[in-house]
Amino acid sequence: VQNIGAVVFDAYGTLFDVHSVIVRCEAEWPGQGRSLSQLWRTKQLEYSWLRALMDRYEPFHVVTAEALAYACQALGLPLSDETRAALMEQYQHLTVYPEAPSALAALGPGRRLAIFSNGSPAMLEPLVANAGLTELLTSGWLSADEVRLYKPTPGAYALVPSRLEVPAKRTLFVSSNPWDVAGAKNFGFLVAWVNRTGAVFDQLGLTPDLVVTDLSQIPEHIGQGPLTS
Amino acid sequence: VQNIGAVVFDAYGTLFDVHSVIVRCEAEWPGQGRSLSQLWRTKQLEYSWLRALMDRYEPFHVVTAEALAYACQALGLPLSDETRAALMEQYQHLTVYPEAPSALAALGPGRRLAIFSNGSPAMLEPLVANAGLTELLTSGWLSADEVRLYKPTPGAYALVPSRLEVPAKRTLFVSSNPWDVAGAKNFGFLVAWVNRTGAVFDQLGLTPDLVVTDLSQIPEHIGQGPLTS
Protein backbone atom coordinates (compact mmCIF):
# COMPACT_ATOMS: atom_id res chain seq x y z
CA VAL A 1 0.00 0.00 0.00
CA GLN A 2 2.92 2.32 0.57
CA ASN A 3 3.75 2.11 -3.11
CA ILE A 4 1.94 5.28 -4.19
CA GLY A 5 1.79 5.50 -7.98
CA ALA A 6 -0.34 8.64 -8.25
CA VAL A 7 -1.11 11.68 -6.14
CA VAL A 8 -4.31 13.43 -7.18
CA PHE A 9 -5.38 16.83 -5.90
CA ASP A 10 -8.67 18.55 -5.54
CA ALA A 11 -8.48 22.07 -7.00
CA TYR A 12 -10.81 24.50 -5.20
CA GLY A 13 -9.70 25.00 -1.60
CA THR A 14 -6.85 22.50 -1.90
CA LEU A 15 -4.39 23.84 -4.49
CA PHE A 16 -6.24 27.13 -5.01
CA ASP A 17 -7.78 29.53 -2.52
CA VAL A 18 -11.41 29.99 -3.57
CA HIS A 19 -11.67 32.92 -1.21
CA SER A 20 -9.10 34.89 -3.15
CA VAL A 21 -12.19 36.27 -4.92
CA ILE A 22 -12.81 38.36 -1.77
CA VAL A 23 -10.55 41.17 -3.00
CA ARG A 24 -12.58 41.64 -6.18
CA CYS A 25 -15.90 41.25 -4.30
CA GLU A 26 -14.75 43.79 -1.74
CA ALA A 27 -13.83 46.28 -4.46
CA GLU A 28 -17.35 45.95 -5.87
CA TRP A 29 -19.28 45.93 -2.57
CA PRO A 30 -17.15 47.30 0.29
CA GLY A 31 -17.67 45.43 3.56
CA GLN A 32 -19.51 42.53 1.88
CA GLY A 33 -16.61 40.67 0.26
CA ARG A 34 -16.20 37.95 2.87
CA SER A 35 -19.93 37.26 3.30
CA LEU A 36 -20.45 37.11 -0.43
CA SER A 37 -17.48 34.83 -1.02
CA GLN A 38 -18.63 32.42 1.71
CA LEU A 39 -22.24 32.26 0.56
CA TRP A 40 -21.14 31.93 -3.07
CA ARG A 41 -18.92 28.95 -2.18
CA THR A 42 -21.57 27.34 0.06
CA LYS A 43 -24.19 27.53 -2.67
CA GLN A 44 -21.76 26.42 -5.37
CA LEU A 45 -21.20 23.16 -3.48
CA GLU A 46 -24.84 22.77 -2.52
CA TYR A 47 -26.05 23.26 -6.08
CA SER A 48 -23.54 20.76 -7.44
CA TRP A 49 -24.80 18.15 -4.94
CA LEU A 50 -28.47 18.94 -5.51
CA ARG A 51 -28.13 18.83 -9.29
CA ALA A 52 -26.33 15.49 -9.04
CA LEU A 53 -29.12 14.14 -6.80
CA MET A 54 -31.86 15.47 -9.08
CA ASP A 55 -30.09 14.08 -12.16
CA ARG A 56 -29.98 17.61 -13.64
CA TYR A 57 -26.30 17.96 -14.43
CA GLU A 58 -25.02 21.29 -15.66
CA PRO A 59 -21.30 22.12 -15.99
CA PHE A 60 -19.61 23.69 -12.97
CA HIS A 61 -19.28 27.13 -14.56
CA VAL A 62 -23.08 27.21 -14.86
CA VAL A 63 -23.50 26.06 -11.24
CA THR A 64 -20.91 28.62 -10.13
CA ALA A 65 -22.68 31.46 -11.96
CA GLU A 66 -26.05 30.41 -10.51
CA ALA A 67 -24.56 30.29 -7.01
CA LEU A 68 -23.17 33.80 -7.51
CA ALA A 69 -26.56 35.06 -8.67
CA TYR A 70 -28.24 33.56 -5.60
CA ALA A 71 -25.62 34.92 -3.19
CA CYS A 72 -25.92 38.46 -4.56
CA GLN A 73 -29.71 38.32 -4.47
CA ALA A 74 -29.76 36.93 -0.91
CA LEU A 75 -27.38 39.65 0.28
CA GLY A 76 -29.19 42.38 -1.63
CA LEU A 77 -26.24 43.19 -3.87
CA PRO A 78 -27.11 44.25 -7.42
CA LEU A 79 -25.15 42.20 -9.96
CA SER A 80 -24.58 43.67 -13.41
CA ASP A 81 -23.60 41.50 -16.35
CA GLU A 82 -20.23 43.19 -16.32
CA THR A 83 -19.59 42.42 -12.65
CA ARG A 84 -20.79 38.85 -13.08
CA ALA A 85 -18.32 38.36 -15.92
CA ALA A 86 -15.52 39.95 -13.89
CA LEU A 87 -16.19 37.72 -10.87
CA MET A 88 -16.47 34.55 -12.96
CA GLU A 89 -13.17 35.53 -14.56
CA GLN A 90 -11.65 35.54 -11.05
CA TYR A 91 -12.13 31.77 -10.99
CA GLN A 92 -9.43 31.55 -13.66
CA HIS A 93 -7.01 33.49 -11.47
CA LEU A 94 -7.45 32.01 -8.00
CA THR A 95 -4.39 32.27 -5.80
CA VAL A 96 -2.38 29.07 -5.64
CA TYR A 97 -1.42 28.14 -2.07
CA PRO A 98 2.23 29.15 -1.60
CA GLU A 99 3.54 25.70 -0.68
CA ALA A 100 1.81 23.95 -3.61
CA PRO A 101 4.52 24.27 -6.30
CA SER A 102 7.35 22.92 -4.12
CA ALA A 103 5.13 20.09 -2.80
CA LEU A 104 4.26 19.09 -6.36
CA ALA A 105 7.92 19.25 -7.36
CA ALA A 106 8.89 16.98 -4.44
CA LEU A 107 6.12 14.47 -5.19
CA GLY A 108 6.62 14.35 -8.93
CA PRO A 109 9.56 12.02 -9.53
CA GLY A 110 8.27 8.55 -10.44
CA ARG A 111 4.62 9.36 -9.77
CA ARG A 112 1.66 10.61 -11.73
CA LEU A 113 0.41 13.96 -10.44
CA ALA A 114 -2.98 15.31 -11.46
CA ILE A 115 -5.91 17.48 -10.48
CA PHE A 116 -9.34 15.93 -10.24
CA SER A 117 -11.99 18.61 -9.90
CA ASN A 118 -15.68 19.30 -10.32
CA GLY A 119 -14.56 22.32 -12.33
CA SER A 120 -15.40 22.28 -16.00
CA PRO A 121 -12.60 22.24 -18.59
CA ALA A 122 -13.25 25.90 -19.43
CA MET A 123 -12.46 26.73 -15.78
CA LEU A 124 -9.56 24.34 -15.12
CA GLU A 125 -7.46 24.89 -18.20
CA PRO A 126 -6.85 28.64 -17.71
CA LEU A 127 -6.63 28.24 -13.91
CA VAL A 128 -3.77 25.74 -14.12
CA ALA A 129 -2.00 27.69 -16.84
CA ASN A 130 -2.33 31.04 -15.07
CA ALA A 131 -0.96 29.52 -11.85
CA GLY A 132 2.07 28.11 -13.67
CA LEU A 133 1.32 24.53 -12.61
CA THR A 134 1.15 23.00 -16.09
CA GLU A 135 4.65 21.48 -15.96
CA LEU A 136 4.39 20.29 -12.35
CA LEU A 137 1.12 18.40 -12.89
CA THR A 138 2.68 15.58 -14.86
CA SER A 139 -0.72 14.05 -15.68
CA GLY A 140 -2.56 17.34 -16.02
CA TRP A 141 -6.12 17.82 -14.89
CA LEU A 142 -9.23 15.68 -15.03
CA SER A 143 -12.69 17.21 -14.93
CA ALA A 144 -15.78 15.49 -13.53
CA ASP A 145 -17.49 17.08 -16.52
CA GLU A 146 -16.14 14.24 -18.62
CA VAL A 147 -18.57 11.84 -16.90
CA ARG A 148 -21.19 14.51 -16.09
CA LEU A 149 -21.23 13.46 -12.43
CA TYR A 150 -20.10 15.47 -9.43
CA LYS A 151 -17.98 14.48 -6.49
CA PRO A 152 -18.67 12.77 -4.07
CA THR A 153 -20.47 10.35 -6.43
CA PRO A 154 -18.36 7.17 -6.74
CA GLY A 155 -18.86 7.30 -10.51
CA ALA A 156 -17.07 10.65 -10.63
CA TYR A 157 -13.94 9.43 -8.80
CA ALA A 158 -13.89 6.34 -11.04
CA LEU A 159 -12.63 8.58 -13.84
CA VAL A 160 -9.27 8.93 -12.08
CA PRO A 161 -7.97 5.31 -12.09
CA SER A 162 -9.44 4.80 -15.53
CA ARG A 163 -7.54 7.75 -16.96
CA LEU A 164 -4.33 7.57 -14.90
CA GLU A 165 -4.11 3.79 -15.14
CA VAL A 166 -3.11 3.53 -11.48
CA PRO A 167 -5.34 1.47 -9.12
CA ALA A 168 -7.32 3.42 -6.51
CA LYS A 169 -5.54 1.68 -3.64
CA ARG A 170 -2.20 2.95 -4.98
CA THR A 171 -3.53 6.50 -5.45
CA LEU A 172 -3.37 9.17 -2.78
CA PHE A 173 -6.21 11.68 -3.12
CA VAL A 174 -5.57 15.02 -1.42
CA SER A 175 -8.31 17.49 -0.52
CA SER A 176 -9.02 20.21 2.00
CA ASN A 177 -12.77 19.58 1.71
CA PRO A 178 -13.95 16.98 4.26
CA TRP A 179 -16.88 15.88 2.07
CA ASP A 180 -14.42 15.29 -0.80
CA VAL A 181 -11.99 13.40 1.42
CA ALA A 182 -14.91 11.24 2.61
CA GLY A 183 -16.12 10.67 -0.94
CA ALA A 184 -12.65 9.70 -2.16
CA LYS A 185 -12.21 7.31 0.77
CA ASN A 186 -15.65 5.85 0.10
CA PHE A 187 -14.57 5.22 -3.50
CA GLY A 188 -11.41 3.40 -2.44
CA PHE A 189 -8.53 5.88 -2.62
CA LEU A 190 -6.01 6.49 0.11
CA VAL A 191 -6.88 9.98 1.30
CA ALA A 192 -5.15 12.95 2.89
CA TRP A 193 -7.08 15.81 4.46
CA VAL A 194 -5.42 19.22 4.27
CA ASN A 195 -6.78 20.94 7.37
CA ARG A 196 -5.38 24.47 7.18
CA THR A 197 -7.87 26.01 9.60
CA GLY A 198 -8.08 23.55 12.50
CA ALA A 199 -11.54 22.46 11.34
CA VAL A 200 -13.52 19.46 12.60
CA PHE A 201 -13.88 16.53 10.20
CA ASP A 202 -17.37 15.61 9.04
CA GLN A 203 -19.32 12.74 10.61
CA LEU A 204 -19.98 10.53 7.63
CA GLY A 205 -18.60 7.25 8.92
CA LEU A 206 -15.31 7.73 7.04
CA THR A 207 -11.96 9.07 8.23
CA PRO A 208 -8.86 10.28 6.41
CA ASP A 209 -5.74 8.11 6.28
CA LEU A 210 -3.57 11.17 6.79
CA VAL A 211 -4.16 14.67 8.14
CA VAL A 212 -1.78 17.51 7.36
CA THR A 213 -1.94 21.25 7.94
CA ASP A 214 -0.62 22.12 4.49
CA LEU A 215 0.59 20.48 1.29
CA SER A 216 4.27 20.70 2.25
CA GLN A 217 3.80 17.80 4.67
CA ILE A 218 2.56 15.37 2.03
CA PRO A 219 5.93 14.32 0.52
CA GLU A 220 7.43 13.22 3.87
CA HIS A 221 4.50 10.86 4.48
CA ILE A 222 4.83 9.02 1.21
CA GLY A 223 7.16 6.12 0.77
CA GLN A 224 8.00 5.73 4.45
CA GLY A 225 5.95 2.69 5.41
CA PRO A 226 2.25 2.02 5.16
CA LEU A 227 0.01 5.03 5.01
CA THR A 228 -3.09 3.23 6.15
CA SER A 229 -3.46 2.07 9.71
CA VAL B 1 -54.42 20.11 -13.67
CA GLN B 2 -56.59 22.00 -11.21
CA ASN B 3 -58.07 18.72 -10.03
CA ILE B 4 -55.77 18.18 -7.04
CA GLY B 5 -56.22 14.69 -5.62
CA ALA B 6 -53.51 14.79 -2.98
CA VAL B 7 -51.66 17.42 -0.98
CA VAL B 8 -48.37 16.17 0.43
CA PHE B 9 -46.31 18.05 2.99
CA ASP B 10 -42.68 18.07 3.90
CA ALA B 11 -42.30 17.74 7.68
CA TYR B 12 -39.19 19.53 8.94
CA GLY B 13 -39.48 23.27 8.46
CA THR B 14 -42.85 23.00 6.72
CA LEU B 15 -45.34 21.55 9.23
CA PHE B 16 -42.87 21.54 12.14
CA ASP B 17 -40.39 24.16 13.29
CA VAL B 18 -36.99 22.43 13.44
CA HIS B 19 -35.62 25.39 15.35
CA SER B 20 -37.95 24.75 18.26
CA VAL B 21 -34.97 22.74 19.58
CA ILE B 22 -33.33 26.09 20.39
CA VAL B 23 -35.03 26.29 23.80
CA ARG B 24 -33.53 22.98 24.90
CA CYS B 25 -30.13 23.82 23.37
CA GLU B 26 -30.16 27.19 25.09
CA ALA B 27 -30.93 25.57 28.45
CA GLU B 28 -27.90 23.33 28.01
CA TRP B 29 -25.49 25.92 26.57
CA PRO B 30 -26.69 29.47 27.28
CA GLY B 31 -26.06 31.87 24.41
CA GLN B 32 -25.30 29.06 21.92
CA GLY B 33 -28.79 27.73 21.20
CA ARG B 34 -29.37 29.48 17.91
CA SER B 35 -25.89 28.81 16.49
CA LEU B 36 -26.10 25.17 17.46
CA SER B 37 -29.58 24.70 16.03
CA GLN B 38 -28.59 26.31 12.74
CA LEU B 39 -25.38 24.31 12.32
CA TRP B 40 -27.14 21.11 13.38
CA ARG B 41 -29.80 21.63 10.70
CA THR B 42 -27.29 22.63 8.01
CA LYS B 43 -25.22 19.53 8.62
CA GLN B 44 -28.28 17.28 8.88
CA LEU B 45 -29.27 18.27 5.33
CA GLU B 46 -25.71 18.18 4.04
CA TYR B 47 -25.06 14.70 5.43
CA SER B 48 -28.30 13.34 3.98
CA TRP B 49 -27.29 14.65 0.53
CA LEU B 50 -23.69 13.46 0.81
CA ARG B 51 -24.70 9.99 2.00
CA ALA B 52 -27.17 9.74 -0.88
CA LEU B 53 -24.44 10.77 -3.34
CA MET B 54 -21.91 8.35 -1.84
CA ASP B 55 -24.45 5.53 -1.83
CA ARG B 56 -23.98 5.16 1.94
CA TYR B 57 -27.55 5.41 3.16
CA GLU B 58 -28.20 5.51 6.89
CA PRO B 59 -31.61 6.33 8.41
CA PHE B 60 -32.31 9.98 9.19
CA HIS B 61 -32.08 9.54 12.96
CA VAL B 62 -28.49 8.36 12.46
CA VAL B 63 -27.74 11.31 10.15
CA THR B 64 -29.38 13.69 12.63
CA ALA B 65 -27.33 12.35 15.54
CA GLU B 66 -24.12 12.58 13.50
CA ALA B 67 -24.96 16.17 12.53
CA LEU B 68 -25.53 17.01 16.20
CA ALA B 69 -22.19 15.46 17.16
CA TYR B 70 -20.42 17.51 14.46
CA ALA B 71 -22.17 20.75 15.42
CA CYS B 72 -21.28 20.38 19.10
CA GLN B 73 -17.68 19.52 18.27
CA ALA B 74 -17.33 22.43 15.83
CA LEU B 75 -18.75 24.88 18.39
CA GLY B 76 -16.68 23.42 21.23
CA LEU B 77 -19.72 22.28 23.21
CA PRO B 78 -19.24 19.06 25.20
CA LEU B 79 -22.06 16.59 24.46
CA SER B 80 -22.86 13.94 27.04
CA ASP B 81 -24.83 10.82 26.16
CA GLU B 82 -27.64 12.15 28.31
CA THR B 83 -27.79 15.50 26.50
CA ARG B 84 -27.56 13.81 23.11
CA ALA B 85 -30.53 11.63 24.01
CA ALA B 86 -32.48 14.64 25.31
CA LEU B 87 -31.85 16.66 22.15
CA MET B 88 -32.70 13.77 19.84
CA GLU B 89 -35.91 13.34 21.83
CA GLN B 90 -36.75 16.96 20.99
CA TYR B 91 -37.18 15.86 17.37
CA GLN B 92 -40.29 13.97 18.49
CA HIS B 93 -41.75 17.13 20.02
CA LEU B 94 -41.06 19.82 17.43
CA THR B 95 -43.54 22.69 17.50
CA VAL B 96 -46.20 22.44 14.82
CA TYR B 97 -46.71 25.72 12.97
CA PRO B 98 -49.87 27.32 14.40
CA GLU B 99 -51.78 27.52 11.11
CA ALA B 100 -51.07 23.90 10.14
CA PRO B 101 -54.05 22.14 11.78
CA SER B 102 -56.70 24.45 10.30
CA ALA B 103 -55.03 24.37 6.86
CA LEU B 104 -55.05 20.57 6.93
CA ALA B 105 -58.69 20.55 8.03
CA ALA B 106 -59.63 22.87 5.15
CA LEU B 107 -57.73 20.81 2.57
CA GLY B 108 -58.90 17.43 3.77
CA PRO B 109 -62.38 16.93 2.30
CA GLY B 110 -62.13 14.80 -0.85
CA ARG B 111 -58.33 14.79 -0.95
CA ARG B 112 -55.54 12.59 0.32
CA LEU B 113 -53.31 14.43 2.80
CA ALA B 114 -49.95 13.03 3.81
CA ILE B 115 -46.46 13.86 4.99
CA PHE B 116 -43.51 12.81 2.89
CA SER B 117 -40.27 13.24 4.79
CA ASN B 118 -36.67 12.15 4.93
CA GLY B 119 -37.35 11.40 8.59
CA SER B 120 -37.20 7.77 9.59
CA PRO B 121 -40.35 6.03 10.88
CA ALA B 122 -38.99 6.10 14.44
CA MET B 123 -38.92 9.91 14.17
CA LEU B 124 -42.13 10.57 12.25
CA GLU B 125 -44.55 8.35 14.11
CA PRO B 126 -44.15 10.00 17.54
CA LEU B 127 -43.79 13.47 15.99
CA VAL B 128 -47.15 13.28 14.23
CA ALA B 129 -48.86 11.72 17.23
CA ASN B 130 -47.44 14.22 19.72
CA ALA B 131 -48.53 17.11 17.50
CA GLY B 132 -52.09 15.76 17.31
CA LEU B 133 -52.03 15.56 13.49
CA THR B 134 -52.87 11.86 13.17
CA GLU B 135 -56.54 12.39 12.33
CA LEU B 136 -55.94 15.35 10.01
CA LEU B 137 -53.37 13.56 7.86
CA THR B 138 -55.87 11.30 6.13
CA SER B 139 -53.15 9.31 4.38
CA GLY B 140 -50.66 9.46 7.24
CA TRP B 141 -46.95 9.78 6.71
CA LEU B 142 -44.52 8.32 4.21
CA SER B 143 -40.83 8.00 4.99
CA ALA B 144 -38.03 8.09 2.41
CA ASP B 145 -36.55 5.34 4.55
CA GLU B 146 -38.87 2.91 2.82
CA VAL B 147 -36.84 3.27 -0.38
CA ARG B 148 -33.55 4.13 1.39
CA LEU B 149 -33.13 7.23 -0.79
CA TYR B 150 -33.21 10.85 0.32
CA LYS B 151 -34.95 13.82 -1.20
CA PRO B 152 -34.28 15.44 -3.69
CA THR B 153 -33.55 12.13 -5.49
CA PRO B 154 -36.39 11.44 -7.98
CA GLY B 155 -36.54 7.86 -6.72
CA ALA B 156 -37.47 9.12 -3.25
CA TYR B 157 -40.42 11.23 -4.45
CA ALA B 158 -41.61 8.29 -6.58
CA LEU B 159 -42.75 6.62 -3.37
CA VAL B 160 -45.58 9.16 -3.03
CA PRO B 161 -47.68 8.46 -6.16
CA SER B 162 -47.01 4.77 -5.79
CA ARG B 163 -48.36 4.72 -2.24
CA LEU B 164 -51.12 7.34 -2.52
CA GLU B 165 -52.28 6.13 -5.92
CA VAL B 166 -52.65 9.70 -7.17
CA PRO B 167 -50.60 10.77 -10.24
CA ALA B 168 -47.77 13.26 -9.61
CA LYS B 169 -49.40 15.88 -11.86
CA ARG B 170 -52.51 15.79 -9.64
CA THR B 171 -50.48 16.02 -6.44
CA LEU B 172 -49.52 19.31 -4.80
CA PHE B 173 -46.27 19.00 -2.86
CA VAL B 174 -45.77 21.66 -0.18
CA SER B 175 -42.42 22.53 1.36
CA SER B 176 -40.65 25.45 2.95
CA ASN B 177 -37.28 24.10 1.79
CA PRO B 178 -36.32 25.47 -1.64
CA TRP B 179 -34.17 22.43 -2.48
CA ASP B 180 -37.15 20.18 -1.66
CA VAL B 181 -39.55 22.29 -3.72
CA ALA B 182 -37.07 22.10 -6.62
CA GLY B 183 -36.67 18.35 -6.19
CA ALA B 184 -40.44 17.79 -6.12
CA LYS B 185 -40.91 19.95 -9.22
CA ASN B 186 -38.10 18.09 -10.95
CA PHE B 187 -39.89 14.82 -10.20
CA GLY B 188 -43.16 16.07 -11.66
CA PHE B 189 -45.36 17.29 -8.80
CA LEU B 190 -47.14 20.60 -8.69
CA VAL B 191 -45.28 22.47 -5.98
CA ALA B 192 -45.94 25.18 -3.43
CA TRP B 193 -43.13 26.98 -1.61
CA VAL B 194 -43.92 28.18 1.90
CA ASN B 195 -41.66 31.19 2.27
CA ARG B 196 -42.20 32.34 5.85
CA THR B 197 -39.03 34.41 6.06
CA GLY B 198 -38.91 36.37 2.82
CA ALA B 199 -36.07 34.16 1.57
CA VAL B 200 -34.68 34.01 -1.97
CA PHE B 201 -35.45 30.87 -3.98
CA ASP B 202 -32.55 28.70 -5.09
CA GLN B 203 -31.10 28.90 -8.58
CA LEU B 204 -31.52 25.35 -9.80
CA GLY B 205 -33.41 25.98 -13.03
CA LEU B 206 -36.75 25.15 -11.39
CA THR B 207 -39.41 27.44 -9.95
CA PRO B 208 -42.41 26.84 -7.69
CA ASP B 209 -45.95 26.85 -9.12
CA LEU B 210 -47.19 28.69 -6.07
CA VAL B 211 -45.53 30.79 -3.36
CA VAL B 212 -47.26 31.43 -0.02
CA THR B 213 -46.11 32.97 3.23
CA ASP B 214 -47.75 30.32 5.38
CA LEU B 215 -49.88 27.19 5.10
CA SER B 216 -53.18 29.01 5.63
CA GLN B 217 -52.99 30.35 2.06
CA ILE B 218 -52.86 26.91 0.44
CA PRO B 219 -56.59 26.03 0.53
CA GLU B 220 -57.70 29.18 -1.31
CA HIS B 221 -55.36 28.40 -4.21
CA ILE B 222 -56.67 24.90 -4.81
CA GLY B 223 -59.70 24.25 -6.98
CA GLN B 224 -59.93 27.75 -8.38
CA GLY B 225 -58.56 27.34 -11.86
CA PRO B 226 -55.23 26.05 -13.07
CA LEU B 227 -52.37 26.20 -10.61
CA THR B 228 -49.64 26.03 -13.21
CA SER B 229 -48.96 28.87 -15.57
Side-chain angles (χ1 to χ4, degrees):
Chain A
V1 183
Q2 59 271 57
N3 188 14
I4 300 291
V7 185
V8 178
F9 297 84
D10 169 56
Y12 303 122
T14 302
L15 292 178
F16 304 95
D17 183 359
V18 286
H19 295 297
S20 52
V21 299
I22 289 176
V23 177
R24 187 66 181 73
C25 293
E26 192 65 27
E28 196 68 33
W29 301 287
Q32 300 281 353
R34 185 166 301 271
S35 303
L36 177 59
S37 178
Q38 283 173 350
L39 187 55
W40 184 6
R41 172 63 172 168
T42 297
K43 285 288 167 176
Q44 179 194 48
L45 293 177
E46 195 179 304
Y47 290 177
S48 69
W49 302 333
L50 292 171
R51 281 192 171 274
L53 288 168
M54 293 193 291
D55 201 11
R56 287 181 74 85
Y57 180 85
E58 288 288 342
F60 206 60
H61 61 269
V62 173
V63 167
T64 301
E66 290 177 337
L68 174 61
Y70 173 91
C72 286
Q73 217 184 329
L75 295 173
L77 308 175
L79 179 65
S80 67
D81 288 349
E82 193 185 348
T83 304
R84 180 191 296 106
L87 287 173
M88 289 296 296
E89 161 92 14
Q90 289 293 301
Y91 254 83
Q92 304 183 2
H93 299 273
L94 298 175
T95 307
V96 66
Y97 283 104
E99 81 281 12
S102 57
L104 290 171
L107 287 165
R111 297 189 191 94
R112 292 175 185 270
L113 301 187
I115 283 175
F116 176 56
S117 169
N118 278 340
S120 39
M123 300 172 81
L124 292 176
E125 181 148 36
L127 178 65
V128 169
N130 290 333
L133 298 185
T134 307
E135 299 293 313
L136 291 168
L137 290 163
T138 54
S139 291
W141 50 264
L142 300 172
S143 167
D145 188 66
E146 191 172 325
V147 286
R148 295 175 62 88
L149 292 170
Y150 282 124
K151 300 189 282 184
T153 312
Y157 296 105
L159 179 66
V160 175
S162 118
R163 291 290 299 277
L164 296 190
E165 299 180 328
V166 175
K169 65 182 179 183
R170 289 189 52 229
T171 299
L172 178 68
F173 186 83
V174 181
S175 181
S176 64
N177 297 292
W179 60 271
D180 189 20
V181 172
K185 180 73 182 171
N186 180 56
F187 172 71
F189 291 125
L190 294 168
V191 293
W193 179 34
V194 183
N195 183 10
R196 290 189 174 87
T197 61
V200 169
F201 199 75
D202 276 315
Q203 298 264 345
L204 292 162
L206 294 155
T207 50
D209 299 298
L210 178 65
V211 181
V212 295
T213 58
D214 69 39
L215 297 167
S216 70
Q217 295 155 31
I218 303 280
E220 69 196 66
H221 284 283
I222 293 192
Q224 52 172 34
L227 188 66
T228 48
S229 53
Chain B
V1 185
Q2 58 272 57
N3 187 15
I4 301 291
V7 185
V8 178
F9 298 84
D10 169 55
Y12 304 121
T14 302
L15 292 178
F16 303 95
D17 183 359
V18 287
H19 295 297
S20 52
V21 300
I22 289 176
V23 178
R24 187 66 182 75
C25 292
E26 193 64 27
E28 196 69 34
W29 300 288
Q32 300 280 351
R34 186 166 299 272
S35 303
L36 178 59
S37 178
Q38 284 174 349
L39 187 54
W40 184 7
R41 172 64 172 166
T42 297
K43 283 289 166 174
Q44 178 195 48
L45 293 177
E46 194 179 304
Y47 289 178
S48 69
W49 301 333
L50 291 171
R51 281 191 172 275
L53 289 168
M54 292 193 291
D55 200 12
R56 288 180 73 87
Y57 180 83
E58 288 289 341
F60 207 59
H61 60 268
V62 173
V63 168
T64 301
E66 290 177 338
L68 174 60
Y70 173 91
C72 286
Q73 216 184 329
L75 295 173
L77 307 174
L79 179 66
S80 67
D81 289 349
E82 194 184 348
T83 304
R84 180 190 297 106
L87 286 173
M88 288 297 294
E89 161 93 13
Q90 289 292 301
Y91 254 82
Q92 305 184 1
H93 299 274
L94 298 174
T95 306
V96 66
Y97 283 104
E99 81 282 12
S102 57
L104 290 172
L107 287 166
R111 295 189 193 94
R112 293 174 185 270
L113 301 186
I115 283 175
F116 175 56
S117 170
N118 278 341
S120 39
M123 300 171 81
L124 293 176
E125 181 148 38
L127 178 67
V128 169
N130 290 332
L133 297 185
T134 308
E135 299 293 313
L136 290 168
L137 291 163
T138 54
S139 291
W141 49 264
L142 300 172
S143 167
D145 187 67
E146 192 172 324
V147 287
R148 295 174 63 86
L149 292 169
Y150 282 123
K151 299 189 284 184
T153 312
Y157 297 104
L159 179 66
V160 174
S162 118
R163 292 290 300 278
L164 296 190
E165 298 180 329
V166 174
K169 65 182 179 184
R170 289 189 52 229
T171 299
L172 178 66
F173 187 84
V174 181
S175 181
S176 65
N177 297 292
W179 60 270
D180 189 20
V181 172
K185 180 74 181 170
N186 180 56
F187 172 70
F189 292 125
L190 294 168
V191 293
W193 179 35
V194 183
N195 183 10
R196 291 190 174 86
T197 61
V200 170
F201 199 75
D202 277 314
Q203 299 264 348
L204 292 161
L206 295 156
T207 50
D209 299 299
L210 179 63
V211 181
V212 294
T213 58
D214 69 40
L215 298 168
S216 70
Q217 296 156 30
I218 304 280
E220 71 196 63
H221 285 282
I222 294 193
Q224 53 171 34
L227 189 66
T228 49
S229 54

